[in-house]
Amino acid sequence: MKKAMKTVIITGGNTGLGFEAAQVIASASHEWHVIIATRSQHRGNDAANDLIRITGNANISAMVLDLSSSSSIHHFVEQFSKAELPPLHVIVCNAGSQFVQGTQMTADGIEATFGVNHLGHFMLVRLLLNHLQENGRIVVVSSDTHDFSKKTGMPAPRYASPSILADPVESDRLLGILSDLAKGQVRYTTSKLCNLYFAYELSRQIQQSKRSISVAAFNPGMMPGKGSALTRDYSPLLRFMWNNIMPLLRFVRSSVRTTKQSGNDLANLILRSSVQSGTYWDGPKEAASSEESYNKEHALELWKWSSEKLNLKIQV
């Protein structure tokens, strides 16, 4: 067995997009040690064992990470620091949640979609940044749903002050009389816009610090089907359509993809010899994200608020 030389952390790597990307990376080279970061040690171990069996690469392990809990994120980073693993080269911010059965909050009292999809990953990356090797890479999984002009079928994001987005009561007030389904969807698309603000500002901050770490954002497209856990909170009818009807759309719309196809694209973005920092990738191709996603004022506002909320320094 070839000794692993570098580590990649994939949040939400036990299923769907993250699992497919992990499989491609582990198959590409046994030099990679793949960490499946997931909320359940049991599910993580099952995924790691499946990946070892499929790829023949034994350098795969699972670690518990709950992005809705700051204490869990701290514990993950502490455990990672103590583990005798190869140097960290890549962090993949892949895990994501969507809540459509009423307003949810994290263990820290943050509106859950914003808390998991943005703030949890923000905290994880900031705490791991000193572990990341020069010429390392951070990939933030966003979505084309951040861009209403793409006509994805999802509502437009509604960015507001982060203090409003993070507060369950203020967030409810912002979204007014929308149904629980619509509120959940708007929160999701807004969080995907926040992912881009984060990726672009992180790239600028790292460049200012003179470190040679690249940051890329990735759009996997819509991936309907049983491989995705994103609709687990949906009604039985909507879940049936997502799992059985909507996958057929990939034959007529290039933005609708399988998890295997997008997992391969995500893995290839990780495995590329170089990636220009601050870029957005639509599947296998570099592309432009929405005009609003390049709003530097909003990106810096979100960065400063998130840093202060988590008691982190503004500069990396």
Side-chain angles (χ1 to χ4, degrees), residues 285-299:
K285 299 177 182 176
E286 187 179 337
S289 52
S290 69
E291 184 178 349
E292 173 55 32
S293 69
Y294 296 109
N295 188 318
K296 290 183 180 179
E297 288 183 6
H298 286 170

Side-chain angles (χ1 to χ4, degrees), residues 45-62:
N45 289 342
D46 284 349
N49 290 333
D50 286 344
L51 287 165
I52 291 168
R53 176 178 51 80
I54 293 166
T55 66
N57 184 349
N59 301 318
I60 303 168
S61 59

Side-chain angles (χ1 to χ4, degrees), residues 51-212:
L51 287 165
I52 291 168
R53 176 178 51 80
I54 293 166
T55 66
N57 184 349
N59 301 318
I60 303 168
S61 59
M63 291 178 65
V64 172
L65 172 66
D66 183 352
L67 290 162
S68 71
S69 164
S70 58
S71 63
S72 175
I73 298 168
H74 275 294
H75 185 256
F76 176 89
V77 173
E78 185 181 331
Q79 294 301 109
F80 176 81
S81 303
K82 292 177 180 176
E84 295 181 359
L85 292 165
L88 181 61
H89 278 256
V90 179
I91 305 168
V92 185
C93 300
N94 162 69
S97 295
Q98 187 177 165
F99 304 96
V100 297
Q101 299 287 345
T103 302
Q104 307 290 318
M105 71 172 69
T106 70
D108 305 309
I110 304 293
E111 190 284 311
T113 312
F114 181 84
V116 172
N117 296 3
H118 164 66
L119 199 61
H121 276 127
F122 181 96
M123 181 177 184
L124 179 70
V125 168
R126 293 293 308 273
L127 294 180
L128 284 173
L129 209 49
N130 286 337
H131 293 276
L132 202 59
Q133 301 298 297
E134 291 304 301
N135 299 313
R137 190 166 301 164
I138 299 163
V139 178
V140 180
V141 177
S142 180
S143 165
D144 54 359
T145 62
H146 86 276
D147 185 353
F148 189 61
S149 72
K150 297 296 184 187
K151 307 299 180 189
T152 62
M154 291 284 278
R158 290 196 198 177
Y159 181 75
S161 164
S163 61
I164 293 175
L165 298 178
D167 186 311
V169 174
E170 291 301 319
S171 175
D172 268 346
R173 191 172 291 135
L174 173 71
L175 298 177
I177 60 170
L178 292 179
S179 67
D180 283 346
L181 173 64
K183 283 181 180 178
Q185 290 178 328
V186 170
R187 284 171 173 147
Y188 179 77
T189 60
T190 303
S191 75
K192 294 291 105 179
L193 176 60
C194 289
N195 288 156
L196 289 171
Y197 289 152
F198 169 49
Y200 295 154
E201 186 58 33
L202 176 63
S203 176
R204 287 188 285 267
Q205 292 276 343
I206 289 173
Q207 286 172 353
Q208 288 169 14
S209 73
K210 307 298 184 189
R211 293 194 66 189
S212 56

Side-chain angles (χ1 to χ4, degrees), residues 246-301:
M246 293 182 69
L248 300 174
L249 289 173
R250 69 174 181 271
F251 296 111
V252 292
R253 292 191 66 173
S254 62
S255 61
V256 180
R257 301 157 194 167
T258 64
T259 51
K260 185 170 288 292
Q261 177 187 357
S262 292
N264 190 67
D265 291 336
L266 175 56
N268 287 337
L269 181 58
I270 292 159
L271 295 170
R272 288 173 70 97
S273 58
S274 66
V275 171
Q276 184 179 344
S277 194
T279 51
Y280 175 76
W281 293 74
D282 182 8
K285 299 177 182 176
E286 187 179 337
S289 52
S290 69
E291 184 178 349
E292 173 55 32
S293 69
Y294 296 109
N295 188 318
K296 290 183 180 179
E297 288 183 6
H298 286 170
L300 188 57
E301 174 189 42

Side-chain angles (χ1 to χ4, degrees), residues 2 6 24-34 57 59 271:
K2 195 169 186 179
K6 44 194 177 181
V24 175
I25 294 165
S27 298
S29 171
H30 290 198
E31 290 187 351
W32 284 100
H33 185 100
V34 181
N57 184 349
N59 301 318
L271 295 170

